Amino acid sequence: MLREIDLSEISDGKLYTGNDMVKADCRGCAGCSSCCQGMGSSIILDPLDIFRLTGHLSKSFEQLLEEALELNVVDGIILPNLKMTGKDERCVFLSPDGRCTIHKARPGFCRLFPLGRYYENHSFRYFLQIHECPKPDKSKIKIKKWLDIENFRQYEKFTADWHYYLKERQEIAMHSEGREGANLVKKLSMDILRQFFVRPYDRETDFYTQVYARMEKAGEGTL
Ligand code: SF4
Ligand code: SF4
């Protein structure tokens, strides 16, 4: 999202790289599932999340939308997020005993928590959110290990590229006016939705090759 954050209020004041050790390890969360409930529409998904979820569950994006995801406008652009349901607003993938049923394919946001990302200069570093995870006595862990995601360097590069790709479009959406502006925003949103989320990915081809090809193509003629 495009809002500014005051790191001194929400973090320990430090910025970390993927190779740094940080006190984020909740050691299996031990009965806590607090960040899997009541999160509203804040667990926003990126194309890699959808690639992994559709593959892991052998379901299309449309099927996931019926069961577990929803669409919301984020800074002017429509994006998918994990749906919270029931009176406790639980993630659909949370089991009754409080475990993640898709742990291997859990989204990037879930892997990151209680860390956050601070973006600048077409890159990012991590920060530790100090008010979000209630578990006391967390252990130190290397961020790369905490995220537990293959091709870590490529993942970080894609995460930054996707952030700035979206940001460029979100800024256009936020500053568009009138009927022409509304049409442009609608086209941008629909292009992103179709190209990166609805259109299936080839499971035999590397995800990053596919997504970068789509990033080059999507929005051609609209920016
Ligand atoms: S709030 Fe912390 S301890 Fe609880 S589930 Fe989330 S990461 Fe684990
Ligand atoms: S996908 Fe798993 S880790 Fe993420 S919110 Fe849902 S249950 Fe929790």
Side-chain angles (χ1 to χ4, degrees):
M1 290 193 212
L2 300 179
R3 71 185 59 99
E4 300 292 326
I5 49 172
D6 184 349
L7 281 182
S8 64
E9 282 180 13
I10 61 167
S11 78
D12 60 5
K14 297 180 195 151
L15 289 170
Y16 301 92
T17 72
N19 283 318
D20 288 330
M21 303 288 288
V22 61
K23 253 189 161 180
D25 187 355
C26 315
R27 297 188 299 270
C29 301
C32 175
S33 55
S34 145
C35 61
C36 307
Q37 306 178 46
M39 299 297 278
S41 56
S42 67
I43 307 187
I44 298 166
L45 306 174
D46 67 20
L48 178 62
D49 294 327
I50 296 303
F51 175 78
R52 302 177 94 226
L53 281 173
T54 50
H56 183 76
L57 297 166
S58 300
K59 290 186 174 169
S60 67
F61 178 73
E62 289 91 334
Q63 284 172 308
L64 289 178
L65 263 187
E66 285 169 19
E67 303 158 8
L69 311 183
E70 59 185 15
L71 297 175
N72 278 294
V73 177
V74 183
D75 297 324
I77 297 291
I78 300 169
L79 295 173
N81 61 266
L82 284 185
K83 184 157 69 182
M84 303 281 137
T85 61
K87 71 172 173 37
D88 295 334
E89 287 194 48
R90 293 166 69 89
C91 171
V92 170
F93 297 120
L94 188 63
S95 72
D97 62 346
R99 306 300 296 173
C100 177
T101 56
I102 53 155
H103 187 72
K104 267 181 72 178
R106 69 198 184 285
F109 184 101
C110 307
R111 291 168 186 271
L112 191 62
F113 200 86
L115 300 171
R117 292 190 197 102
Y118 181 78
Y119 290 88
E120 60 181 354
N121 303 328
H122 212 95
S123 181
F124 67 84
R125 282 174 291 167
Y126 301 91
F127 62 89
L128 176 63
Q129 303 185 79
I130 51 172
H131 303 302
E132 299 298 325
C133 170
K135 189 141 195 314
D137 306 324
K138 290 189 267 296
S139 316
K140 277 198 165 185
I141 188 166
K142 194 180 262 198
I143 290 180
K144 191 175 175 175
K145 189 170 177 202
W146 179 244
L147 264 72
D148 181 29
I149 198 150
E150 61 277 9
N151 302 329
F152 189 69
R153 280 184 63 182
Q154 202 168 21
Y155 171 67
E156 285 194 314
K157 180 181 182 322
F158 166 68
T159 301
D161 289 342
W162 177 248
H163 172 85
Y164 283 98
Y165 180 89
L166 264 188
K167 189 176 174 201
E168 192 180 358
R169 283 144 184 85
Q170 285 168 324
E171 276 170 354
I172 292 171
M174 302 287 276
H175 295 105
S176 292
E177 290 176 358
R179 183 187 277 197
E180 224 173 275
N183 286 339
L184 173 65
V185 172
K186 190 173 167 195
K187 179 161 175 23
L188 276 177
S189 246
M190 293 316 290
D191 277 349
I192 289 172
L193 199 55
R194 279 198 212 102
Q195 286 297 328
F196 297 103
F197 299 109
V198 177
R199 185 177 154 203
Y201 289 90
D202 178 2
R203 315 301 317 177
E204 305 303 315
T205 307
D206 169 59
F207 165 77
Y208 295 107
T209 306
Q210 296 181 72
V211 81
Y212 277 104
R214 294 182 190 197
M215 282 163 84
E216 272 181 31
K217 196 164 170 28
E220 270 176 8
T222 50
L223 290 189

